[in-house]
Amino acid sequence: MGKPKVVLGVSGGIAAYKACELLRRLTESGHDVRVVPTASALHFVGEATWAALSGNPASTEVWEDVHEVPHVRIGQGADLVVVAPATADMLAKAAHGLADDLLTNTLLTARCPVVFAPAMHTEMWEHPATQENAAALRRRGAVVIEPAVGRLTGADTGKGRFPDPAEIFETCRRVLARGAEGVTADLAGRHVVVSAGGTREPLDPVRYLGNRSSGKQGYALARTAVARGAAVTLVSANAELPDPVGADVVRVGTAVQLREAVLKAAVDADAVVMAAAVADFRPAVYTPGKIKKKDGVEPAPVELVRNPDVLAEISGRRLRAGQLVVGFAAETDDVLANGRAKLDRKGCDLLVVNEVGDGKAFGTGENEAVVLGADGTETPVPLGPKEALADVVWDLVRERLTR
């Protein structure tokens, strides 16, 4: 089997230079990349650079090598087309089926998955025309990544920044894997909310009650959902991980803050996946100054009070008709029995049950679990990358959303 064939389309924005890093990651991971820059893109990065980094000629003109019909053949032979950066002009042309250069011709002839990584000024991204164009492309099955928030050209700051090339690469990798299985943007048009990480309940300005969750499983769920075309809101509790490209990230610290953020985001969500490890208890009293150690004096016991049960609340309220709720249960013994009892108690549709401790699950890149369904189903997921478990969860969610 040959190398996966990727077409990297580059349109004319200042972020074109960042596409060089994406190209490097694609080629170094074993992909055969053909770069198709627009004429405007060549003002930012020259043809020689693209050819040198890809190891292939950079295709720029419809009229070059006419006997090979490049405007048809390049798209026909691709396993993935990624346009990065995608300007407002490129999104408009793609949405309306225009074909006035080699890249837009390639987009029309491609029958493989297509990913757009927009980059532009905030006002351009938020303009109704651009939003409609992005929505049209998503309806047709393309993955249009939400731009990042940050510094733009000049002194401007806002949403429209080119996403992290490393994260775009991860999205492309997931899209390619799904495309090889014959499944692409099957969550297009869906809004999903994912919670990740572990809450911290402060005792004083230096100490807190917390847990060992790294957030890796929740971030894998967010990343795979983006690659499958969903609009993703990630409620992140103290996770020290790069933002998944295309996800709107809401940062929280405590269980109370997480509850507020999840309830707000879930108002129009098709599915809510509660992967965060939410502390069951918090200190009853917060001490504004550091609690000092005093010789010969034992510390006062720390009184705990219950935190809100966010999973049970969201399962009981269902803020949108047909909303699906997925919970997670980390168990140390009687995993399935405790998981089934928790599923019944919480009232969610699916519960991902996994065994933790002794280096399992927390902080690692792998996970093993059983997904229990309220309908009595049990779906075992063998030990493997956390993204593999994430895809199984989204498969089960998609199946239930379309019933």
Side-chain angles (χ1 to χ4, degrees), residues 141-354:
V143 175
V144 182
I145 298 170
E146 289 287 313
V149 176
R151 182 73 176 267
L152 304 171
T153 305
D156 293 342
T157 299
K159 188 168 187 177
R161 183 179 174 87
F162 189 67
D164 181 0
E167 286 293 314
I168 297 175
F169 168 73
E170 288 300 322
T171 298
C172 291
R173 188 174 62 82
R174 295 305 307 157
V175 171
L176 266 169
R178 299 289 297 176
E181 298 169 5
V183 182
T184 51
D186 56 347
L187 292 177
R190 302 290 189 179
H191 174 213
V192 301
V193 176
V194 178
S195 71
T199 63
R200 297 176 180 177
E201 311 304 323
L203 174 62
D204 64 18
V206 228
R207 305 176 181 92
Y208 61 85
L209 183 67
N211 56 68
R212 299 180 185 275
S213 178
S214 65
K216 288 182 177 179
Q217 185 62 71
Y219 274 59
L221 282 155
R223 187 179 290 113
T224 53
V226 169
R228 294 173 70 157
V232 180
T233 302
L234 175 63
V235 179
S236 176
N238 306 297
E240 297 179 358
L241 298 167
D243 289 352
V245 67
D248 284 327
V249 181
V250 180
R251 289 179 176 79
V252 297
T254 67
V256 171
Q257 292 170 350
L258 183 139
R259 172 188 176 272
E260 293 172 354
V262 168
L263 290 177
K264 180 179 179 180
V267 169
D268 63 348
D270 297 286
V272 180
V273 181
M274 294 292 297
V278 183
D280 294 320
F281 308 99
R282 68 180 184 273
V285 177
Y286 173 75
T287 304
K290 180 182 175 182
I291 301 172
K292 300 289 188 180
K293 179 173 65 177
K294 299 178 180 178
D295 292 340
V297 179
E298 291 298 314
V302 177
E303 182 185 354
L304 301 177
V305 295
R306 285 185 178 274
N307 269 323
D309 190 330
V310 188
L311 178 58
E313 182 176 0
I314 199 77
S315 297
R317 292 179 66 173
R318 306 286 171 150
L319 298 176
R320 176 176 177 175
Q323 187 175 77
L324 259 122
V325 179
V326 182
F328 272 68
E331 301 291 344
T332 57
D333 55 69
D334 296 328
V335 174
L336 288 181
N338 287 334
R340 182 60 70 181
K342 183 172 183 178
L343 176 64
D344 293 340
R345 189 168 67 252
K346 301 292 186 179
C348 49
D349 301 286
L350 296 167
L351 187 74
V352 182
V353 186
N354 60 336

Side-chain angles (χ1 to χ4, degrees), residues 16 80 84 87 99 109 121 178 181 189 210 226 239 252-253 255 274 380 389 398:
L80 173 72
T87 60
T109 56
H121 267 70
R178 299 289 297 176
E181 298 169 5
V226 169
V252 297
M274 294 292 297
L389 172 58
R398 183 204 65 227

